[in-house]
Amino acid sequence: MSTTVTPADNSADTAVRPPRPYQSYTYAYPHKTAYRPLTPGPRLADLWAGESRQALSLYLHIPFCEVRCGFCNLFTRIGAPDGLTGRYLDALERQAAAVREALGDARAPRFANAAFGGGTPTFLEAAELERLCDIAERETGVDLRAVPLSVEASPSTATADRLAVLVERGATRLSLGVQSFVEEEARAAVRPQRRSDVEAALTRIREAGVPVLNIDLIYGIDGQTAASWRHSLDAALAWRPEELYLYPLYIRPLTGLGRHTDPLAADREWDEQRLRRYREGRDHLLSHGYEQVSMRMFRRSDAPPQGPDDYACQTDGMIGLGCGARSYTSRLHYSFDYAVSMREIRGIIDDYTATEDFSRALHGRWVDEDEARRRHLLQSLLQAEGLPVAEYRLRFASDPYDDFPAELDTLAARGWLDGDRADRLRLSAEGLAHSDAIGPDFFSPDVRDAMAAYETK
C-alpha cells in the first residue's frame, strides 16, 4: 500500500483545526518519490564498507500479480509472458551475487529476518519458489529456517504445492491480501474474488501449518457500511489469525480507481467515514484479544514472536533484491527506478532482467544526520509503544523535544500525545488514529520538495 504526500498545513490554527487524517502512509522514510538517479552510481562495496551487518533484513521482491487491484500502486505488473519469471530470477541471482561480493568475506553478514514481497511472490510456481529460496540462501548466506521469514500471497495463488514449498523452506508468516469478505465490496475495489475461494485459501494455509497467518482488510470501500465492515472483521476472526492489518483505502493517481477520481478533491465526508470504520475495527479487535502494534497492525496476544517489527529494518540496515526492492545503509537508501503505470513498470522490469552488472546503486537518496533523526523518530513514534527518549538521546546526543519542538507542541495541543510518560514519546489513541497525518509533519523540507517535484509515471 504505497503513498503520496499532501503538503502539511502550516497555518496558525492547525492545533485547533487538524489536517486531513489520510495524507501519507509513512511505511518508509524518505519515500521512493524522493529518490533520484545517482550520478555517478556509487559502488556497493564502498557503500557497505564499515556498515554494521549483524542484524540485517533481507527482502526479495517479485513484481508479478495475476490481477492488479483498483487501489494498488505497488511496483507490479499483471502476468508474465513466457520465460519472463525465469529471466527475472536469473537477474535476481546475478544481483544477489553482486551484493554478496560487495559485502566481502571479512565480516560475514548476519540476518535477523527475511521477507518475500511484491507484487505477489506466490505468483511464482512451486519450482520457482524453490529456486527463489535457493538464491536467497546460496548467494546471500541467509539460513531461511533460522530466521523469521514472511511471505505475501493472494487467495488464488496460495495453492497447496506452493505452500508446501514455503513451509518446508522455513516460512513462519504468510500474509494474505483479502481486503473484504463481501464480494460486492471486492468488486467495488476492483479486486474480483469469490468468498468461497478466499475461504478455501485460508483452509489450505491453516492445513499447511504456517505459524503466523496475517489477513489484510481495507476500510473505506465504496458502499461499505458499519454492518458490512463488521461482517468482514468477524469472517477474518473466525480463522483466529495471529495478525490482522486494517488499511484505509487510498485512491492514487494512475491506479485503477484513480483514473476515475479527482485525486485533489478534499472529501471530508469520506475522511469521517474511514475514521469511523477505523475506530470500529480497532475496538472490535481489541475486544477479541488483539493488541494494537500500530495504526494498521493488530497482533493476537498469544501469537508467537516474529522478531523485529517492520520498521526496525531502517535502523539495522536492509538488503533488497529485485527491481522494486529498497536497500538501506546508514548513509544511503537506494533502489531501482520507480513507477506506477503498467507501461513504465514493464520497461523497468525488462531493463532489470537485461542487466548484467549490479555492482552499483542507481537510484536513491543520501541520508544525513537530520534525516536520520527524522527517520528514527517516525519509525518509533508511529508504533503503539512509542519512542523511548533515552534511546534517542543515546543515538543522537540530543533530545527529541529540542530537535522537533514545533511538531511535538502541535501534537500535544491536539491531544495526540500521551502525556503520562515522561520517558517515552507515545501517541494517544486518537493520535495513533491520525498516524497518516502525523507522519508528513516530520518530513524535511528537502524531502517534501523532492516528493512534490516527482513526476508520476
Side-chain angles (χ1 to χ4, degrees):
M1 304 281 291
S2 190
T3 184
T4 55
V5 65
T6 301
D9 184 351
N10 293 317
S11 60
D13 63 343
T14 51
V16 176
R17 180 172 57 84
R20 295 191 65 192
Y22 299 104
Q23 295 185 40
S24 172
Y25 173 17
T26 312
Y27 67 95
Y29 180 80
H31 186 261
K32 256 185 157 181
T33 53
Y35 290 14
R36 293 294 183 268
L38 300 168
T39 308
R43 295 174 63 249
L44 299 187
D46 296 332
L47 288 176
W48 285 97
E51 291 285 322
S52 173
R53 55 199 66 191
Q54 293 304 298
L56 294 172
S57 295
L58 178 65
Y59 179 78
L60 277 67
H61 178 250
I62 303 299
F64 307 109
C65 288
E66 73 276 16
V67 65
R68 196 177 200 197
C69 304
F71 52 83
C72 177
N73 74 337
L74 297 178
F75 189 96
T76 186
R77 62 164 291 162
I78 300 172
D82 288 345
L84 180 57
T85 55
R87 294 195 301 276
Y88 184 85
L89 290 175
D90 290 343
L92 193 103
E93 185 168 9
R94 293 195 296 273
Q95 184 190 5
V99 171
R100 185 65 186 87
E101 182 179 358
L103 290 174
D105 296 323
R107 292 175 295 132
R110 296 176 60 185
F111 293 91
N113 55 72
F116 300 160
T120 308
T122 49
F123 179 90
L124 298 179
E125 296 178 354
E128 293 174 319
L129 286 172
E130 286 274 18
R131 186 183 176 197
L132 183 69
C133 294
D134 287 342
I135 290 171
E137 293 197 331
R138 183 176 61 247
E139 301 299 340
T140 72
V142 65
D143 182 352
L144 294 177
R145 296 179 181 86
V147 300
L149 171 60
S150 178
V151 182
E152 297 174 6
S154 65
S156 64
T157 61
T159 59
D161 58 339
R162 292 175 170 101
L163 293 170
V165 169
L166 294 173
V167 169
E168 196 279 328
R169 298 303 296 261
T172 57
R173 178 181 181 272
L174 192 130
S175 181
L176 192 72
V178 174
Q179 319 316 348
S180 177
F181 283 87
V182 179
E183 292 184 11
E184 294 80 5
E185 290 180 6
R187 286 196 296 271
V190 196
R191 167 87 176 211
Q193 63 188 14
R194 294 185 299 177
R195 168 79 178 268
S196 59
D197 293 336
V198 173
E199 301 282 355
L202 288 165
T203 298
R204 292 191 296 270
I205 293 166
R206 282 311 196 195
E207 290 176 347
V210 182
V212 172
L213 164 65
N214 172 70
I215 295 177
D216 287 346
L217 297 177
I218 287 180
Y219 55 91
I221 299 171
D222 187 33
Q224 189 179 62
T225 65
S228 67
W229 177 228
R230 174 68 68 91
H231 179 79
S232 277
L233 290 166
D234 286 338
L237 288 171
W239 292 93
R240 299 200 73 242
E242 285 72 21
E243 294 177 3
L244 274 159
Y245 271 72
L246 308 184
Y247 287 98
L249 178 64
Y250 275 92
I251 295 179
R252 301 302 189 193
L254 302 185
T255 63
L257 294 176
R259 286 195 295 269
H260 309 292
T261 304
D262 178 1
L264 301 179
D267 191 341
R268 293 280 178 178
E269 182 179 350
W270 190 34
D271 287 345
E272 287 303 316
Q273 180 202 61
R274 284 181 287 179
L275 276 173
R276 286 195 298 272
R277 298 294 89 83
Y278 162 79
R279 292 172 180 136
E280 293 161 1
R282 174 198 64 193
D283 295 347
H284 197 55
L285 295 187
L286 293 178
S287 72
H288 280 74
Y290 285 77
E291 299 170 348
Q292 188 166 16
V293 178
S294 67
M295 172 187 164
R296 288 163 171 75
M297 182 181 180
F298 296 81
R299 179 182 289 138
R300 214 176 70 202
S301 57
D302 61 345
Q306 283 292 291
D309 286 323
D310 294 343
Y311 68 96
C313 65
Q314 289 201 60
T315 297
D316 299 328
M318 182 162 78
I319 292 173
L321 302 175
C323 60
R326 311 162 191 262
S327 295
Y328 304 130
T329 71
S330 63
R331 297 172 295 146
L332 180 71
H333 290 190
Y334 63 95
S335 182
F336 294 91
D337 200 3
Y338 171 70
V340 175
S341 74
M342 292 300 297
R343 181 178 64 84
E344 294 286 347
I345 287 174
R346 287 194 294 267
I348 293 172
I349 293 173
D350 289 344
D351 289 343
Y352 175 81
T353 59
T355 299
E356 295 291 337
D357 182 4
F358 287 99
S359 64
R360 294 180 180 272
L362 301 180
H363 289 76
R365 187 164 189 89
W366 294 101
V367 177
D368 60 18
E369 181 76 2
D370 175 66
E371 299 292 12
R373 292 170 194 261
R374 294 175 186 275
R375 187 174 77 252
H376 185 97
L377 184 139
L378 284 169
Q379 287 169 212
S380 300
L381 184 62
L382 298 184
Q383 304 294 309
E385 291 187 351
L387 168 67
V389 175
E391 179 182 290
Y392 184 96
R393 289 171 179 158
L394 180 64
R395 181 175 180 186
F396 297 109
S398 63
D399 192 291
Y401 294 97
D402 294 331
D403 291 341
F404 303 100
E407 295 90 340
L408 295 177
D409 284 349
T410 297
L411 293 184
R414 291 174 180 158
W416 290 356
L417 280 182
D418 182 352
D420 294 336
R421 294 285 301 273
D423 63 336
R424 187 177 291 266
L425 260 176
R426 185 166 59 189
L427 297 177
S428 64
E430 201 56 23
L432 207 58
H434 287 80
S435 293
D436 286 4
I438 290 171
D441 279 346
F442 290 89
F443 292 4
S444 72
D446 285 348
V447 165
R448 194 180 301 280
D449 290 346
M451 294 174 71
Y454 175 78
E455 295 184 6
T456 304
K457 59 184 179 179

